[in-house]
Amino acid sequence: MILFLLVLFPLIYTIDQLFTAFYMNQQQEQIEQFADKYSVTISDVEDVNSYHMFDMLSELINADLFVFNKEGEILKSTVGLEFEAGNEVMKELYNPIFQNQSVGMEYTEPETADNLFYLAGKPIIVDGEVNGGLVVVSNMDKVNTSIDQVRIWLFISVIGALFIAIGFTFFISRKLSSPLLKMEKATREIAKGKLQTDLPILTKDEVGSLAGAITDLGKELEQYRTSRSEFFANISHELRTPISYIKGYSEVLRKGMVQSEMERNQYLMIIEDESTRLAALINDLFELAKMEEGKLDLHPEWIEMDDILTSAIKKVSLKATEKKIAILLQPSHDHPMIYVDAIRLEQIMINLIENAIRYSEPETNVDVYIQVHRNRLKVFIKDQGMGIPKEDIPFIFERFYRVEKSRSRASGGTGLGLAIVKNLVELLGGEIELNSASGEGTLFTLSFSIDQKVRADK
């Protein structure tokens, strides 16, 4: 509204000045034109007959006239005041006219100082000499009345514009504030833990975008709360199982409730396996926590992907041999170099190849091969296992997510391997994709950028 007023009032003032100047100038021009034309018709100032139709012309032009001679005496006049016949004309009119100049001036009645007149004087030329002067006197009150009427309409227009602006502002503010108030209420509900918010997106502007963002925030927080609850439930279950085994068999050994040395060694082996499993779970959780907080130290260096894959396959070969699974590596002929942390990259490859072995059927193959396309290096790890249902693929990288919970737990995994892989890949600046279908095996695709200059030097 302040901005509107700052624009409106200077505009109204300018319009008022334009109308005032227009009316005044128009009136003055008409009077001066009439004085110029009528002064030519007077042939002799002293001859009374020269002022034919004097009074009629005064009524016709709605103005008064008077004529004065060389001595400055007013001879004929339709004006009252000090311009009556027999009076002496003022010097402000006499001097310029007898210098053969036209004159125009404003005049205020001395007695009241209220009425404003405009005087237009012209010299009367007889035989090439100034013989007197003609002055047309116009009362400017009517012009001022017209100007006042224009100002009244301008004032009414201003008031109307203000009311329209106030109504428009009120309408717009309500229209803008209504969804914002709903968003405020929704965010307060979210802050109180009521995350099921679904704000209607009525527009496609910033307000609609904000409503969509708040709705998405509520869904994300709801998903986060659900995931957190599931995480705590899963971690509690995963920790409870090995701890229960360790506690139970330790108590059996402490109380001497064993019948042979073989049974004792069997219990000790179970305690050792569960301790190893517990340590692996805690280590994986610790690794995930460091990655999510950005506190994982990386030591990048230039390495060949072939070397990393060869080393990783050697380390998992024992598990593959136990299941009679062949790991087939097809190295790249380009020997591409990438700048990453070698230890973390090898950890990624070991986790993915072990995952392929774990879920593959015995006497099948795990194919590992490399492709280079432009400035991207891609590593493919494909197994011939049971595959992953389409509905489970979006969640496969979540912590503790299992497609078949009983089978996954029996396989010995912690449920954190793929979550660690995804976080590590992103920390190394790479990308990971998954393609799978039930009964058709699984294909993991890793993609990293490579340095073309290093490849050429190599």
Side-chain angles (χ1 to χ4, degrees):
M1 289 301 299
I2 291 173
L3 180 62
F4 175 77
L5 293 176
L6 289 176
V7 174
L8 181 63
F9 282 121
L11 178 63
I12 295 300
Y13 175 78
T14 302
I15 294 174
D16 175 71
Q17 294 300 308
L18 288 174
F19 271 102
T20 301
F22 172 76
Y23 278 113
M24 297 292 287
N25 291 336
Q26 188 180 46
Q27 183 72 7
Q28 292 171 7
E29 287 178 3
Q30 288 178 351
I31 294 172
E32 290 174 358
Q33 289 176 2
F34 177 79
D36 188 48
K37 291 179 180 180
Y38 189 69
S39 64
V40 179
T41 63
I42 300 175
S43 58
D44 187 359
V45 175
E46 301 293 341
D47 186 4
V48 178
N49 295 324
S50 298
Y51 310 129
H52 56 281
M53 297 186 299
F54 201 78
D55 296 329
M56 186 182 298
L57 286 172
S58 174
E59 294 179 1
L60 182 65
I61 65 173
N62 195 24
D64 293 308
L65 306 91
F66 68 88
V67 177
F68 60 91
N69 57 18
K70 293 181 180 180
E71 288 75 26
E73 180 185 357
I74 298 175
L75 302 178
K76 182 70 174 178
S77 174
T78 62
V79 191
L81 307 175
E82 58 179 311
F83 301 113
E84 294 179 349
N87 292 342
E88 186 176 351
V89 69
M90 61 179 62
K91 294 181 179 180
E92 289 85 350
L93 292 173
Y94 180 85
N95 291 336
I97 288 176
F98 273 88
Q99 292 178 7
N100 199 14
Q101 296 177 358
S102 300
V103 61
M105 58 178 290
E106 292 183 353
Y107 172 78
T108 305
E109 190 176 297
E111 296 180 359
T112 61
D114 289 334
N115 296 330
L116 178 66
F117 299 88
Y118 183 76
L119 309 181
K122 295 288 182 178
I124 298 175
I125 308 298
V126 179
D127 297 330
E129 295 183 357
V130 178
N131 197 12
L134 170 67
V135 179
V136 180
V137 181
S138 175
N139 192 331
M140 302 300 289
D141 287 342
K142 293 182 179 180
V143 175
N144 291 332
T145 301
S146 299
I147 293 173
D148 290 339
Q149 290 179 348
V150 171
R151 286 173 177 167
I152 291 173
W153 282 110
L154 284 175
F155 178 76
I156 293 173
S157 300
V158 169
I159 298 299
L162 284 175
F163 277 110
I164 293 173
I166 291 171
F168 180 76
T169 304
F170 177 77
F171 172 76
I172 293 297
S173 63
R174 288 295 298 270
K175 186 176 180 180
L176 291 176
S177 63
S178 178
L180 293 176
L181 291 174
K182 292 179 181 177
M183 294 177 199
E184 180 195 13
K185 182 179 179 181
T187 52
R188 293 189 183 279
E189 293 294 323
I190 291 174
K192 294 177 182 178
K194 299 178 181 179
L195 305 179
Q196 296 293 338
T197 58
D198 190 10
L199 291 170
I201 302 176
L202 303 177
T203 60
K204 295 183 179 180
D205 56 7
E206 293 83 354
V207 176
S209 177
L210 180 59
I214 293 175
T215 301
D216 292 340
L217 174 64
K219 293 178 180 178
E220 290 291 334
L221 290 175
E222 178 67 24
Q223 184 178 355
Y224 171 76
R225 184 165 64 181
T226 304
S227 299
R228 186 184 61 177
S229 300
E230 291 178 355
F231 171 74
F232 283 123
N234 288 327
I235 195 63
S236 299
H237 178 76
E238 296 294 336
L239 291 174
R240 187 185 300 114
T241 301
I243 290 174
S244 298
Y245 281 129
I246 294 171
K247 180 181 177 183
Y249 287 106
S250 297
E251 187 175 353
V252 169
L253 292 173
R254 183 180 61 82
K255 294 180 178 180
M257 299 169 60
V258 292
Q259 298 179 357
S260 64
E261 186 67 21
M262 182 181 297
E263 185 179 358
R264 179 176 178 276
N265 290 334
Q266 184 180 1
Y267 293 164
L268 288 173
M269 187 177 296
I270 292 174
I271 292 173
E272 182 181 4
D273 290 342
E274 293 302 322
S275 299
T276 302
R277 180 181 173 188
L278 183 60
L281 178 61
I282 293 173
N283 183 66
D284 286 347
L285 287 171
F286 183 65
E287 289 282 308
L288 268 177
K290 287 198 297 183
M291 282 185 279
E292 291 177 353
E293 293 176 5
K295 296 181 179 180
L296 190 67
D297 294 329
L298 298 176
H299 304 283
E301 58 181 317
W302 288 107
I303 59 171
E304 286 190 12
M305 182 60 75
D306 293 340
D307 296 338
I308 295 296
L309 289 174
T310 301
S311 176
I313 290 172
K314 285 180 180 180
K315 293 180 179 180
V316 300
S317 59
L318 181 60
K319 292 184 179 180
T321 303
E322 291 175 354
K323 289 189 68 173
K324 297 180 181 181
I325 292 175
I327 303 176
L328 305 178
L329 172 62
Q330 299 178 18
S332 171
H333 299 293
D334 296 334
H335 302 287
M337 303 283 290
I338 59 174
Y339 189 70
V340 292
D341 188 310
I343 296 176
R344 296 301 178 182
L345 183 58
E346 185 180 58
Q347 181 182 354
I348 293 171
M349 298 305 170
I350 290 174
N351 280 350
L352 289 176
I353 297 173
E354 282 187 345
N355 187 78
I357 295 171
R358 185 178 299 120
Y359 297 108
S360 293
E361 298 296 331
E363 300 182 358
T364 57
N365 298 332
V366 173
D367 296 310
V368 181
Y369 53 97
I370 301 172
Q371 289 182 358
V372 177
H373 182 67
R374 294 182 180 176
N375 63 334
R376 302 294 293 181
L377 180 147
K378 294 187 177 182
V379 180
F380 301 89
I381 301 174
K382 187 177 188 313
D383 63 51
Q384 299 174 6
M386 61 182 181
I388 303 171
K390 184 177 180 180
E391 61 273 13
D392 292 314
I393 290 178
F395 311 103
I396 204 66
F397 292 106
E398 292 184 4
R399 293 171 294 188
F400 296 113
Y401 187 83
R402 290 187 171 93
V403 178
E404 295 182 18
K405 294 180 172 55
S406 60
R407 178 167 181 167
S408 298
R409 188 170 293 112
S411 64
T414 63
L416 299 173
L418 291 180
I420 292 174
V421 165
K422 182 173 177 60
N423 280 273
L424 281 176
V425 170
E426 292 176 351
L427 284 174
L428 296 180
E431 298 174 358
I432 184 168
E433 297 178 1
L434 169 63
N435 291 295
S436 184
S438 297
E440 297 181 5
T442 302
L443 172 64
F444 284 95
T445 304
L446 293 149
S447 177
F448 297 94
S449 63
I450 57 176
D451 193 289
Q452 297 285 358
K453 182 179 178 181
V454 173
R455 286 182 59 204
D457 294 342
K458 183 70 176 177

